[in-house]
């Protein structure tokens, strides 16, 4: 077990948790319906539906009570500058159907986690309050770190049970109202009365508190389902690895039934067994019936493409402050997106040809010989008429193939036309310049917002950069060991040791990955290789003057604690590298997908993926020859993962990483090692062979 340190405030809340809470408050400040919605909930006593109860989305309860359909959802943050605002969603429609598994996609910083937190807080105006929501965040909150896994599950269960009872009570009151309105003399309504009576008795049973021994058994079953070993059940969460902590958090979903399950990056830190059980968990939640008698809905964000393809039934893309829905998994989403892009390119190409032909005709009219009897006036009118016609010409169909009409668009201006350009920018410009500007308005710009451009190392050694000899490590064991003779076991580490007798040779330009189950010591081994800790036994030799860049989740989250108040990404790098020029720092930020606007945002209000990009830029400014990355794809969106793969493939340095993102590992073609029973073993067939051997062992 490894120890993790977390900085907290005097109130027991970490800086990250404080920022999350302040972000929720800022979202309230920018939503004009927030105050009215709170008052409506206060006066409705939790009831839903009917005239005058709920504000927006009235009557959803009477049509599809188990689906979530909310219109005009808006999310925005107030900016630092006067009058500035960061718009995440504007008049979007949130649609979540019962029994579906939705994966929310979007660029880093687009607002995915903010939307999940907003839903979990119940602060979205119009969101049905009868829906029982369970939110599982990326990390365990700070004030729960000193609890044991069983105590943590019990704390969450009690809080969720209170919310669940309120929802059940609201359902009971509505059933009682329906029963009172039935005519007992009618045979059809008598059958309805019997059905409603059975439902009512079932709901009333749910209000009875569960016996302690039965609840204890449920909690243990949930931990066993997520493959959390019983030896960790009485340990403090603080000393458990992030992978074990994540499994404990996901066990909550097995313990607490809900209508809507929100998962924020559930695959982060999970080992192979955790990833398999996560898929089974999602299947169990959506297949089984909750308290309302209907399957739950799952809404998650994830960077794991295999998980999205295996589990998702629908994909929601958060882009341009809107939510776009497409049925199927990630591969199906890419197919729809590719068809849309091809359609747009064909339309743009056809428009280019038409506008070029019209421009040539216009030039020919200008060169045409003028007759003596009023020819100039006639040709001038033809040129003016042709120019006006060319200025109106644009895209004639929308993304769905529907023909453009002024009645449907509410405007006589077509996309891609010269008339669509702001009049203030059209002065003193030639026709060709205007056409070029109009083409840029309908063509997607090159996407530099997801790039990872790694600078190649400026020096080479021509020898192995890191060598580990008989390395062993443990915590809470004296360095001098025991006087008793220990019998050497070639298959297993000694008791109390995370690992021992580890030998590893890291060649220059090599690509390596350390695999293993949660709490097996992968992160500890990476820290030893990065010279951040000293091994308890053995030795690790590094090439002379080799520079190592190291990044893990603690470093990314720690940037919030080490940054000064309202310090931007650019000023943070300026403080860390005072000798480097401002332009060089800006270029480095752009190389890792942080735009000029993002570089001027406070570090504390950057998303997890944006902070990870900032951490990458911070590391690469040192020009390291070796990169050691612990869970490098965490917090990144799928497009950013693909960009990271592309960037690392083109980088000529040495790479050591730890992750169970199989798509990421296959794409990089890394040399895999696995920590099994405290021994480091070479996996000849790569990650696929590791998965096969793991399945055979289980």
């Amino acid at each position: 077990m490894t120890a993790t340190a977390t900085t907290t405030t005097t109130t027991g809340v970490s800086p990250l948790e404080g920022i999350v809470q302040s972000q929720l408050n800022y979202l309230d400040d920018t939503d004009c319906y927030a105050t009215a919605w709170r008052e409506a909930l206060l006066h409705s006593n939790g009831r839903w539906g009917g005239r005058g109860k709920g504000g927006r989305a009235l009557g959803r309860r009477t049509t599809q009570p188990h689906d979530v359909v909310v219109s005009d959802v808006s999310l925005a943050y107030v900016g630092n500058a006067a009058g500035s605002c960061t718009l995440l969603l504007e008049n979007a429609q949130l649609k979540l159907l019962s029994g579906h598994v939705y994966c929310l996609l979007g660029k880093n910083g687009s607002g995915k986690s903010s939307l999940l937190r907003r839903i979990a807080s119940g602060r979205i105006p119009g969101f049905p309050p009868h829906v029982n929501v369970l939110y599982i965040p990326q990390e365990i909150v700070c004030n729960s770190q000193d609890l044991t896994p069983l105590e943590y599950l019990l704390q969450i269960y009690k809080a969720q049970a209170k919310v669940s009872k309120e929802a059940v009570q609201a359902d009971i009151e509505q059933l009682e109202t329906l029963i009172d309105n039935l005519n007992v003399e009618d045979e059809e309504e008598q059958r309805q009365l019997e059905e409603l009576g059975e439902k009512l008795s079932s709901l009333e049973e749910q209000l009875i508190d569960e016996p302690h021994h039965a609840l204890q058994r449920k909690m243990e079953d949930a931990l066993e389902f997520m493959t959390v070993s019983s030896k960790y059940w009485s340990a403090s969460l603080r000393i458990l690895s992030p992978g074990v902590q994540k499994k404990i958090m996901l066990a909550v979903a097995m313990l607490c039934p809900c209508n809507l399950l929100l998962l924020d990056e559930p695959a982060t830190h999970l080992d192979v067994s955790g990833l398999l059980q996560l898929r089974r968990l999602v299947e169990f939640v959506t297949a089984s019936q909750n308290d309302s008698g209907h399957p739950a809905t799952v809404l998650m964000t994830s960077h794991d493409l295999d998980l999205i393809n295996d589990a998702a039934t629908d994909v929601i893309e958060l882009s341009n402050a809107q939510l776009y829905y497409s049925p199927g998994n990630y591969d199906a989403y890419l197919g729809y997106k590719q068809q849309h892009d091809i359609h747009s390119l064909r339309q743009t190409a056809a428009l280019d040809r038409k506008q070029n032909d019209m421009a040539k005709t216009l030039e020919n009219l200008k060169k045409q010989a003028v007759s003596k009897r009023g020819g100039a006036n006639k040709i001038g009118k033809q040129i003016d008429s042709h120019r006006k016609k060319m200025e109106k010409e644009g895209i004639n169909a929308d993304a769905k193939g529907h023909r453009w009409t002024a009645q449907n668009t509410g405007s006589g201006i077509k996309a891609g036309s010269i008339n669509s350009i702001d009049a203030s920018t059209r002065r003193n410009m030639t026709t060709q310049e205007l056409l070029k500007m109009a083409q840029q308005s309908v063509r997607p710009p090159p996407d530099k917002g997801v790039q990872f451009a790694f600078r190649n190392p400026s020096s080479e050694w021509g020898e192995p950069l890191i060598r580990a000899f008989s390395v062993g490590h443990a915590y809470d064991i004296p360095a001098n060991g025991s006087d008793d003779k220990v019998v050497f076991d070639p298959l297993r580490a000694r008791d109390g040791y995370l690992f021992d007798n580890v030998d590893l040779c890291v060649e220059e330009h090599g690509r390596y990955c350390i695999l293993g189950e949660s709490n097996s010591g992968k992160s500890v081994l990476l820290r030893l290789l990065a010279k951040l800790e000293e091994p308890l036994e053995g030795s690790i030799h590094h090439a002379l003057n080799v520079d190592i860049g190291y990044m893990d989740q603690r470093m990314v989250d720690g940037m919030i604690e080490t940054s000064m108040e309202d310090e931007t990404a650019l000023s943070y790098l300026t403080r860390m590298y005072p000798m480097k020029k401002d332009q060089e720092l800006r270029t480095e930020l752009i190389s890792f997908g942080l735009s000029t606007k993002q570089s001027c945002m406070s570090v504390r209000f950057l998303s997890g993926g944006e902070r990870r990009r900032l951490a990458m830029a911070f590391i690469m400014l040192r020009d390291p020859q070796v990169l050691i990355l612990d869970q490098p794809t965490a917090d990144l969106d799928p497009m950013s993962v693909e960009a990271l793969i592309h960037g690392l493939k083109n980088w000529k340095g040495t790479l050591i990483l730890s992750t169970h993102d199989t798509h990421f590992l296959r794409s990089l073609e890394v040399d895999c090692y696995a920590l099994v029973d405290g021994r480091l073993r070479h996996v000849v067939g790569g990650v696929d062979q590791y998965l096969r051997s793991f399945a055979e062992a289980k």
Side-chain angles (χ1 to χ4, degrees):
M1 293 182 290
T2 61
T4 58
T6 305
T7 302
T8 62
T9 62
T10 56
T11 59
V13 178
S14 70
L16 181 59
E17 293 165 27
I19 289 170
V20 169
Q21 186 58 44
S22 62
Q23 286 178 337
L24 288 174
N25 295 334
Y26 287 157
L27 291 174
D28 273 348
D29 295 338
T30 56
D31 193 334
C32 59
Y33 291 100
T35 303
W37 177 243
R38 285 196 298 268
E39 293 179 357
L41 289 180
L42 184 63
H43 290 89
S44 66
N45 295 322
R47 294 188 179 91
W48 182 247
R51 185 168 298 176
K53 297 179 180 178
R56 288 182 290 173
L58 292 178
R60 298 295 182 193
R61 179 68 170 163
T62 59
T63 53
Q64 295 293 336
H66 309 291
D67 298 336
V68 175
V69 182
V70 186
S71 302
D72 299 330
V73 178
S74 297
L75 299 179
Y77 290 124
V78 178
N80 294 330
S84 64
C85 181
T86 302
L87 188 63
L88 303 179
L89 281 177
E90 184 179 21
N91 298 328
Q93 185 183 55
L94 179 64
K95 185 177 181 180
L96 305 173
L97 304 182
S98 176
H100 287 233
V101 180
Y102 295 89
C103 183
L104 181 61
L105 301 181
K107 292 182 181 179
N108 293 133
S110 60
K112 302 186 298 295
S113 295
S114 295
L115 178 59
L116 293 187
R117 296 190 195 107
R118 185 74 167 167
I119 294 173
S121 67
R123 298 184 184 181
I124 292 184
F127 191 90
H130 70 276
V131 173
N132 186 8
V133 180
L134 176 61
Y135 171 56
I136 299 181
Q138 296 187 34
E139 307 290 341
I140 290 180
V141 295
C142 180
N143 55 13
S144 300
Q145 288 283 341
D146 294 325
L147 301 176
T148 66
L150 291 173
E151 291 172 344
Y152 174 76
L153 290 182
L154 182 60
Q155 181 188 68
I156 301 298
Y157 175 82
K158 288 182 177 179
Q160 194 68 18
K162 181 180 179 182
V163 176
S164 179
K165 284 184 178 180
E166 292 175 355
V168 170
Q169 187 62 45
D171 288 339
I172 289 176
E173 292 178 3
Q174 290 193 354
L175 284 179
E176 290 175 344
T177 303
L178 291 175
I179 291 174
D180 292 339
N181 294 330
L182 290 177
N183 183 7
V184 294
E185 296 180 357
D186 187 276
E187 294 183 1
E188 180 66 27
E189 294 194 0
Q190 282 182 358
R191 286 193 293 269
Q192 294 181 12
L193 180 62
E194 293 176 359
E195 295 176 359
L196 292 176
E198 292 177 359
K199 290 182 179 180
L200 184 61
S201 60
S202 176
L203 291 174
E204 288 175 344
E205 290 177 359
Q206 296 172 17
L207 296 177
I208 303 174
D209 292 332
E210 197 163 7
H212 179 73
H213 66 276
L215 179 58
Q216 180 78 11
R217 185 59 207 165
K218 274 190 174 182
M219 293 189 295
E220 293 175 355
D221 290 343
L223 292 174
E224 289 177 353
F225 179 85
M226 289 308 303
T227 67
V228 179
S229 175
S230 58
K231 65 182 179 181
Y232 301 137
W233 292 0
S234 59
S236 173
L237 292 174
R238 190 179 300 278
I239 65 174
L240 297 178
S241 72
V244 177
Q245 290 185 8
K246 177 66 78 172
K247 290 181 179 180
I248 295 169
M249 295 171 65
L250 291 172
V252 173
M254 287 293 298
L255 184 66
C256 304
C258 61
N259 303 117
L260 176 60
L261 177 62
L262 306 178
L263 302 174
D264 196 353
E265 289 291 344
T268 303
H269 303 305
L270 287 183
D271 56 14
V272 174
S273 63
L275 290 172
L276 291 175
Q277 292 307 109
L278 174 59
R279 287 162 169 78
R280 292 170 183 165
L281 172 65
V282 172
E283 183 179 355
F284 171 80
V285 169
T286 54
S288 60
Q289 293 186 350
N290 50 41
D291 294 341
S292 62
H294 289 263
T297 304
V298 177
L299 175 61
M300 65 178 179
T301 64
S302 180
H303 63 275
D304 193 324
L305 298 184
D306 289 340
L307 173 64
I308 302 174
N309 279 325
D310 292 344
T313 61
D314 301 85
V315 170
I316 305 176
E317 182 184 5
L318 201 167
S319 177
N320 299 322
Q322 290 295 321
L323 296 174
Y324 301 96
Y325 298 81
S326 62
N329 58 13
Y330 185 74
D331 289 339
Y333 158 77
L334 289 181
Y336 286 120
K337 189 174 179 62
Q338 185 179 22
Q339 292 176 7
H340 178 270
D341 292 342
I342 291 174
H343 176 73
S344 298
L345 288 173
R346 286 174 176 170
Q347 281 193 318
T348 305
L351 177 62
D352 290 348
R353 291 192 298 268
K354 186 177 292 187
Q355 287 180 335
N356 288 333
D357 291 341
M358 296 176 76
K360 289 179 181 178
T361 303
L362 185 63
E363 292 298 322
N364 292 334
L365 285 174
K366 292 179 180 179
K367 296 177 183 178
Q368 188 173 342
V370 181
S371 61
K372 294 182 179 180
R373 296 183 178 180
N377 191 23
K378 183 178 180 181
I379 291 178
K381 290 181 179 179
Q382 289 179 346
I383 292 174
D384 290 340
S385 175
H386 203 79
R387 182 181 288 112
K388 290 179 181 179
K389 184 178 180 181
M390 185 170 61
E391 289 176 352
K392 295 179 181 179
E393 190 61 41
I395 300 294
N396 290 317
D398 60 14
K400 297 181 180 179
H402 299 158
R403 187 169 181 81
W404 180 92
T405 61
Q407 290 80 5
N408 291 337
T409 59
S411 169
I413 300 176
K414 297 180 181 179
S417 65
I418 293 177
N419 285 342
S420 64
I421 303 172
D422 186 8
S424 61
T425 63
R426 293 167 57 182
R427 298 174 182 174
N428 301 323
M429 295 182 68
T430 64
T431 302
Q432 291 298 331
E433 291 174 338
L434 289 171
L435 286 175
K436 187 175 181 181
M437 183 178 292
Q439 291 170 4
Q440 291 174 351
S441 67
V442 292
R443 286 178 175 172
D447 193 357
K448 295 185 179 181
V450 296
Q451 69 176 352
F452 286 89
F454 292 88
R455 239 186 356 266
N456 287 322
S458 56
S459 54
E460 294 191 5
W461 271 253
E463 60 175 327
L465 300 184
I466 303 176
R467 294 178 182 177
F469 300 98
S470 302
V471 172
H473 200 72
Y475 293 98
D476 302 326
I477 293 181
N480 56 4
S482 175
D483 295 334
D484 298 333
K485 186 176 180 181
V486 179
V487 179
F488 175 75
D489 186 350
L491 301 178
R492 187 181 300 273
R494 287 165 289 170
D495 291 340
Y497 278 75
L498 287 170
F499 49 80
D500 63 3
N501 288 290
V502 168
D503 297 320
L504 180 64
C505 180
V506 178
E507 299 286 350
E508 191 172 16
H509 307 305
R511 306 292 172 94
Y512 304 88
C513 178
I514 309 297
L515 303 170
E517 297 186 10
S518 298
N519 237 62
S520 60
K522 304 184 297 296
S523 299
V524 175
L525 180 57
L526 293 185
R527 290 180 63 83
L528 296 178
L529 297 176
K531 299 188 284 188
L532 298 177
E533 294 184 32
E534 291 294 329
L536 191 65
E537 294 180 351
S539 60
I540 299 178
H541 300 289
H542 297 82
L544 184 63
N545 295 328
V546 67
D547 195 356
I548 299 175
Y550 175 82
M551 184 186 72
D552 64 354
Q553 190 65 40
R554 279 193 292 177
M555 174 193 172
V556 176
D557 293 339
M559 299 179 76
I560 296 176
E561 301 167 7
T562 58
S563 64
M564 303 176 69
E565 188 175 358
D566 294 330
E567 187 173 38
T568 65
L570 180 61
S571 58
Y572 177 84
L573 292 183
T574 303
R575 181 165 60 86
M576 294 297 178
Y577 296 96
M579 302 303 294
K580 292 189 178 292
K581 296 181 179 179
D582 184 78
Q583 185 58 42
E584 183 179 357
L585 299 178
R586 290 180 182 274
T587 302
E588 195 70 17
L589 289 171
I590 293 174
S591 298
F592 287 92
L594 291 177
S595 64
T596 304
K597 180 181 179 181
Q598 290 168 313
S599 64
C600 295
M601 290 177 62
S602 172
V603 174
R604 297 172 177 239
F605 286 91
L606 293 176
S607 69
E610 289 170 329
R611 285 198 305 273
R612 192 164 291 271
R613 292 174 179 276
L614 176 59
M616 287 276 195
F618 168 76
I619 292 171
M620 293 307 296
L621 282 169
R622 293 166 41 192
D623 191 24
Q625 295 81 39
V626 181
L627 274 181
I628 299 181
L629 307 177
D630 193 359
Q631 300 295 332
T633 60
D635 301 320
L636 297 180
D637 60 87
M639 291 181 292
S640 295
V641 172
E642 295 292 342
L644 180 60
I645 292 172
H646 179 76
L648 290 175
K649 274 186 173 182
N650 295 328
W651 187 59
K652 304 302 181 184
T654 305
L655 178 65
I656 308 173
L657 51 88
S658 175
T659 181
H660 285 96
D661 190 330
T662 53
H663 171 74
F664 185 74
L665 295 177
R666 290 191 195 102
S667 302
L668 288 178
E669 300 178 353
V670 296
D671 197 8
C672 291
Y673 289 80
L675 273 173
V676 181
D677 296 328
R679 295 298 165 86
L680 188 66
R681 297 168 182 171
H682 188 211
V683 183
V684 178
V687 65
D688 290 317
Q689 177 59 38
Y690 176 74
L691 295 176
R692 283 193 292 269
S693 62
F694 186 90
E696 292 171 359
K698 295 296 180 182

